[in-house]
Amino acid sequence: METPVILNRFGQPVGEPVPDWQPPPRPQRDVLGGRFARLEPLDPVRHGDDLFAACCAPDNDAGWTYLPAMPFADRAAYQAALEDHARAEDPLFFAIVDATNGRAMGEASYLRIDPDGGCIEVGHLHFGPAMRGARMATEAMSLMMAHAFELGDRRYEWKCDSLNAPSRRAALRLGFTFEGEFRQARVVKGRNRDTAWFSIIDREWPAVRAAHSAWLDDANFDERGRQRVSLSMLTRQALSRTSP
């Protein structure tokens, strides 16, 4: 079904009305809790040792390639970076905590927070190796999406280096729609970066949320912890039902 064209009194096409639009509140330093993951406001003292162990081991240097920062050689330098993160309002940083043992396993943030446009981005994602592929990582992202849409945001963005194949796959798996690339968008670490853009909008979120819930459900995993249905399949099906 095609979206109907709306014309103003001059015969010009215009966007659909957004009646009674009110900018949503900005996200605060709230705890977002789930079964597998908990998002806690980043605390350099409480989370620092866990995050350094999870993210800064020498065998995890490849995890820094597409991040603005370089790998940290020592705990003191990393602590200084965490203190900067904790003071920031935009990006607004959280520690991703394993809900089963209370250990911080990664970082995430809301950024480019635009209440007037109802738009917010997720980024500065850095997962320790133990998080990758785990239900904890997916649930953490789902919790952040849910909170943004509950606040009243209309658009939730994911951006990455266009050459960052794992990040592009993760965005599509989570239910984001690829929107294109901004060429020569930034210079990062002395290299050109083309930026790939992805989004989820509010009318898509209920179907994407249902796909996340179905994937996270225990019934979707066998006795050896292997998924029965992939999240990619579930989100593709969900989005196909929300297309205009």
Side-chain angles (χ1 to χ4, degrees):
M1 180 186 302
E2 293 186 0
T3 303
V5 175
I6 300 172
L7 301 178
N8 67 8
R9 65 190 182 93
F10 306 109
Q12 299 164 311
V14 295
E16 62 186 271
V18 184
D20 303 319
W21 165 248
Q22 294 292 327
R26 298 174 68 88
Q28 303 298 311
R29 288 182 167 86
D30 297 320
V31 175
L32 310 178
R35 287 182 61 204
F36 309 103
R38 187 168 64 251
L39 279 296
E40 297 180 357
L42 181 63
D43 183 327
V45 175
R46 184 153 48 92
H47 301 129
D49 287 341
D50 286 346
L51 288 174
F52 186 74
C55 299
C56 297
D59 61 356
N60 192 38
D61 282 358
W64 296 90
T65 297
Y66 299 108
L67 294 173
M70 299 294 288
F72 292 90
D74 59 69
R75 180 71 177 81
Y78 188 58
Q79 184 70 15
L82 291 179
E83 289 171 359
D84 286 343
H85 290 178
R87 284 191 293 267
E89 297 291 337
D90 186 351
L92 184 66
F93 279 90
F94 294 84
I96 303 173
V97 175
D98 185 333
T100 65
N101 59 27
R103 292 173 54 199
M105 306 295 287
E107 278 189 272
S109 76
Y110 291 123
L111 69 155
R112 301 186 189 279
I113 302 165
D114 177 16
D116 288 341
C119 180
I120 193 167
E121 181 180 344
V122 62
H124 294 283
L125 303 177
H126 196 186
F127 297 170
M131 275 192 67
R132 297 170 196 164
R135 278 196 273 183
M136 174 175 49
T138 298
E139 187 180 52
M141 295 297 93
S142 189
L143 288 167
M144 292 185 73
M145 287 183 207
H147 186 58
F149 286 116
E150 286 164 4
L151 287 173
D153 283 290
R154 305 173 61 235
R155 173 180 169 87
Y156 192 77
E157 295 182 336
W158 176 294
K159 303 189 188 85
C160 64
D161 189 309
S162 65
L163 299 176
N164 187 349
S167 184
R168 296 179 71 125
R169 288 195 299 270
L172 295 174
R173 173 180 176 270
L174 288 165
F176 287 83
T177 295
F178 175 62
E179 295 182 326
E181 294 182 6
F182 279 27
R183 301 178 299 164
Q184 297 187 185
R186 299 181 62 191
V187 176
V188 180
K189 297 178 178 176
R191 303 188 303 262
N192 175 65
R193 170 174 145 159
D194 296 350
T195 297
W197 286 56
F198 301 81
S199 73
I200 296 173
I201 57 176
D202 51 1
R203 72 165 179 261
E204 297 166 339
W205 170 239
V208 171
R209 177 178 55 197
H212 288 190
S213 296
W215 186 82
L216 288 164
D217 194 280
D218 289 341
N220 189 45
F221 292 84
D222 66 18
E223 63 280 359
R224 296 175 63 182
R226 296 174 301 192
Q227 65 179 1
R228 301 183 191 276
V229 182
S230 72
L231 182 57
S232 296
M233 179 178 293
L234 291 168
T235 53
R236 278 198 304 270
Q237 292 172 345
L239 291 171
S240 71
R241 295 192 292 270
T242 63
S243 299

